[in-house]
Each structure stands twice: as C-alpha cells, then as structure tokens.
Amino acid sequence: MVGKYLNISVKDPDDGLKDGVVLCQLLNEMKRNAVRKIMMPQGDEKLSTMKATVNLNAFLRFTQVHIGKDNCCTLADIQQGEMAPLFETLKRLAEKFPYQSDA
C-alpha cells in the first residue's frame, strides 16, 4: 500500500515509522501540503524524540480530521511499535484518498 505512494527506502522500517518522517511524506503524497513542515534527520543521526513527536502529532492531527479520532491509531501505538493499529489507520486513509497515478 505505502509503496504505491512513496518511492523511498528506509534502513529500519520500524524507525522510519516511529519518527513520523515516512508517515508525513505519505500524507503529502495522498494530499498536497497535508503536512507543511516535516522534521528531517541530519545525516545518519536519528531525530530527537521532540522532533519525532512533532511529526507524529502532525500525522495524527491530519488523520483525526479526515477519518475521525475513533478510527485512528494513537501516539503511544506508534511509539511502542504497535503496527496493527497504525496499518489500520493507513488503510482507512488509503480508502479516503485513493492512489492516483500521474501516468
């Protein structure tokens, strides 16, 4: 599902989701400017917890507005690596914003 939207590689998929970068990029592919500012890591360093939380909160605000708070995973789900609620949230977003190829 995510692969339809993004052409990226993540060294550690768990970290790629937990810092919110991939999730925010995914939202921007689904809906232009969904997240206006994404905190990005510098070089090989991981994002600080504060910056990762900024990204994750932006992701959660968008999802809560568009699919409802009761249909979204929580910050704790993502931070604790509970992928099932996150994937369910992504599935609901994909239903709301179907992939549209530029081709």
Side-chain angles (χ1 to χ4, degrees), residues 39-61:
M39 301 292 176
M40 300 295 286
Q42 300 297 316
D44 288 338
E45 293 183 24
K46 288 185 177 183
L47 277 183
S48 69
T49 301
M50 183 182 75
K51 288 182 178 181
T53 302
V54 168
N55 286 342
L56 293 172
N57 283 331
F59 170 78
L60 292 170
R61 275 192 305 274

Tab-separated table of all heavy atoms in Angstrom, residues 39-61:
chain	number	residue	atom	x	y	z
A	39	MET	N	9.932	17.435	10.083
A	39	MET	CA	11.242	17.427	10.736
A	39	MET	C	12.047	16.271	10.148
A	39	MET	O	11.595	15.129	10.166
A	39	MET	CB	11.100	17.236	12.247
A	39	MET	CG	10.296	18.289	12.924
A	39	MET	SD	11.198	19.843	12.866
A	39	MET	CE	10.014	20.925	13.600
A	40	MET	N	13.216	16.577	9.603
A	40	MET	CA	14.036	15.568	8.936
A	40	MET	C	15.327	15.335	9.715
A	40	MET	O	15.904	16.274	10.257
A	40	MET	CB	14.387	16.030	7.518
A	40	MET	CG	13.188	16.274	6.621
A	40	MET	SD	12.247	14.791	6.271
A	40	MET	CE	13.337	13.985	5.129
A	41	PRO	N	15.806	14.072	9.728
A	41	PRO	CA	17.089	13.799	10.383
A	41	PRO	C	18.245	14.379	9.568
A	41	PRO	O	18.130	14.544	8.354
A	41	PRO	CB	17.155	12.278	10.428
A	41	PRO	CG	16.210	11.808	9.384
A	41	PRO	CD	15.185	12.878	9.191
A	42	GLN	N	19.325	14.680	10.248
A	42	GLN	CA	20.520	15.192	9.598
A	42	GLN	C	21.525	14.060	9.460
A	42	GLN	O	21.928	13.461	10.457
A	42	GLN	CB	21.128	16.339	10.414
A	42	GLN	CG	20.193	17.514	10.604
A	42	GLN	CD	19.826	18.175	9.288
A	42	GLN	OE1	20.676	18.396	8.420
A	42	GLN	NE2	18.561	18.495	9.124
A	43	GLY	N	21.905	13.734	8.238
A	43	GLY	CA	22.875	12.671	8.008
A	43	GLY	C	22.372	11.329	8.513
A	43	GLY	O	21.231	10.956	8.271
A	44	ASP	N	23.219	10.625	9.238
A	44	ASP	CA	22.869	9.301	9.759
A	44	ASP	C	22.241	9.359	11.150
A	44	ASP	O	21.921	8.332	11.730
A	44	ASP	CB	24.107	8.394	9.808
A	44	ASP	CG	24.552	7.967	8.422
A	44	ASP	OD1	23.710	8.001	7.497
A	44	ASP	OD2	25.733	7.610	8.265
A	45	GLU	N	22.097	10.567	11.692
A	45	GLU	CA	21.544	10.699	13.039
A	45	GLU	C	20.031	10.503	13.026
A	45	GLU	O	19.348	10.852	12.080
A	45	GLU	CB	21.863	12.080	13.607
A	45	GLU	CG	23.333	12.302	13.870
A	45	GLU	CD	23.602	13.649	14.499
A	45	GLU	OE1	22.703	14.207	15.130
A	45	GLU	OE2	24.736	14.123	14.342
A	46	LYS	N	19.532	9.937	14.135
A	46	LYS	CA	18.090	9.808	14.298
A	46	LYS	C	17.527	11.143	14.761
A	46	LYS	O	18.227	11.966	15.345
A	46	LYS	CB	17.768	8.754	15.362
A	46	LYS	CG	18.036	7.342	14.935
A	46	LYS	CD	17.566	6.393	16.016
A	46	LYS	CE	17.752	4.960	15.588
A	46	LYS	NZ	17.224	4.022	16.593
A	47	LEU	N	16.240	11.346	14.507
A	47	LEU	CA	15.571	12.538	15.010
A	47	LEU	C	15.480	12.477	16.530
A	47	LEU	O	15.322	11.401	17.105
A	47	LEU	CB	14.142	12.620	14.475
A	47	LEU	CG	13.921	13.192	13.100
A	47	LEU	CD1	12.436	13.254	12.794
A	47	LEU	CD2	14.520	14.560	12.944
A	48	SER	N	15.523	13.644	17.148
A	48	SER	CA	15.301	13.691	18.594
A	48	SER	C	13.847	13.282	18.862
A	48	SER	O	12.989	13.350	17.986
A	48	SER	CB	15.546	15.102	19.127
A	48	SER	OG	14.535	15.981	18.653
A	49	THR	N	13.596	12.875	20.074
A	49	THR	CA	12.239	12.487	20.462
A	49	THR	C	11.274	13.645	20.247
A	49	THR	O	10.150	13.447	19.775
A	49	THR	CB	12.212	12.029	21.939
A	49	THR	OG1	13.103	10.924	22.082
A	49	THR	CG2	10.822	11.619	22.368
A	50	MET	N	11.717	14.856	20.568
A	50	MET	CA	10.851	16.031	20.404
A	50	MET	C	10.469	16.240	18.935
A	50	MET	O	9.303	16.444	18.612
A	50	MET	CB	11.545	17.275	20.948
A	50	MET	CG	10.673	18.524	20.887
A	50	MET	SD	11.505	20.002	21.481
A	50	MET	CE	12.581	20.355	20.109
A	51	LYS	N	11.446	16.172	18.050
A	51	LYS	CA	11.167	16.382	16.629
A	51	LYS	C	10.314	15.243	16.065
A	51	LYS	O	9.420	15.480	15.245
A	51	LYS	CB	12.465	16.531	15.837
A	51	LYS	CG	13.153	17.851	16.111
A	51	LYS	CD	14.414	17.995	15.288
A	51	LYS	CE	15.064	19.342	15.541
A	51	LYS	NZ	16.278	19.521	14.730
A	52	ALA	N	10.583	14.021	16.488
A	52	ALA	CA	9.765	12.890	16.041
A	52	ALA	C	8.328	13.071	16.497
A	52	ALA	O	7.384	12.814	15.731
A	52	ALA	CB	10.341	11.580	16.576
A	53	THR	N	8.145	13.553	17.719
A	53	THR	CA	6.791	13.775	18.238
A	53	THR	C	6.074	14.863	17.458
A	53	THR	O	4.863	14.763	17.215
A	53	THR	CB	6.847	14.110	19.745
A	53	THR	OG1	7.485	13.024	20.426
A	53	THR	CG2	5.458	14.304	20.326
A	54	VAL	N	6.793	15.883	17.016
A	54	VAL	CA	6.191	16.923	16.170
A	54	VAL	C	5.635	16.288	14.898
A	54	VAL	O	4.498	16.546	14.496
A	54	VAL	CB	7.210	18.043	15.849
A	54	VAL	CG1	6.687	18.965	14.752
A	54	VAL	CG2	7.549	18.831	17.102
A	55	ASN	N	6.441	15.433	14.246
A	55	ASN	CA	5.990	14.751	13.028
A	55	ASN	C	4.783	13.862	13.305
A	55	ASN	O	3.799	13.883	12.558
A	55	ASN	CB	7.111	13.886	12.443
A	55	ASN	CG	8.192	14.689	11.769
A	55	ASN	OD1	8.014	15.852	11.427
A	55	ASN	ND2	9.337	14.067	11.586
A	56	LEU	N	4.866	13.082	14.359
A	56	LEU	CA	3.779	12.152	14.662
A	56	LEU	C	2.490	12.891	15.008
A	56	LEU	O	1.401	12.480	14.593
A	56	LEU	CB	4.189	11.209	15.794
A	56	LEU	CG	5.313	10.238	15.438
A	56	LEU	CD1	5.771	9.485	16.670
A	56	LEU	CD2	4.892	9.280	14.335
A	57	ASN	N	2.605	13.988	15.734
A	57	ASN	CA	1.406	14.772	16.047
A	57	ASN	C	0.789	15.379	14.793
A	57	ASN	O	-0.433	15.445	14.672
A	57	ASN	CB	1.715	15.846	17.088
A	57	ASN	CG	1.812	15.280	18.484
A	57	ASN	OD1	1.181	14.280	18.818
A	57	ASN	ND2	2.611	15.915	19.330
A	58	ALA	N	1.615	15.797	13.842
A	58	ALA	CA	1.094	16.315	12.574
A	58	ALA	C	0.344	15.207	11.831
A	58	ALA	O	-0.747	15.435	11.286
A	58	ALA	CB	2.230	16.871	11.719
A	59	PHE	N	0.936	14.009	11.804
A	59	PHE	CA	0.276	12.859	11.173
A	59	PHE	C	-1.064	12.573	11.848
A	59	PHE	O	-2.085	12.399	11.180
A	59	PHE	CB	1.194	11.634	11.251
A	59	PHE	CG	0.534	10.348	10.849
A	59	PHE	CD1	0.346	10.039	9.512
A	59	PHE	CD2	0.078	9.449	11.808
A	59	PHE	CE1	-0.283	8.848	9.132
A	59	PHE	CE2	-0.537	8.260	11.446
A	59	PHE	CZ	-0.731	7.965	10.102
A	60	LEU	N	-1.072	12.533	13.167
A	60	LEU	CA	-2.296	12.200	13.905
A	60	LEU	C	-3.374	13.276	13.766
A	60	LEU	O	-4.554	12.956	13.647
A	60	LEU	CB	-1.967	11.944	15.371
A	60	LEU	CG	-1.145	10.678	15.615
A	60	LEU	CD1	-0.654	10.624	17.056
A	60	LEU	CD2	-1.939	9.425	15.259
A	61	ARG	N	-2.970	14.554	13.770
A	61	ARG	CA	-3.966	15.631	13.570
A	61	ARG	C	-4.668	15.465	12.226
A	61	ARG	O	-5.886	15.568	12.122
A	61	ARG	CB	-3.294	17.006	13.650
A	61	ARG	CG	-3.151	17.550	15.038
A	61	ARG	CD	-2.757	19.020	15.053
A	61	ARG	NE	-1.552	19.303	14.285
A	61	ARG	CZ	-0.318	19.192	14.762
A	61	ARG	NH1	-0.105	18.815	15.992
A	61	ARG	NH2	0.717	19.469	13.996
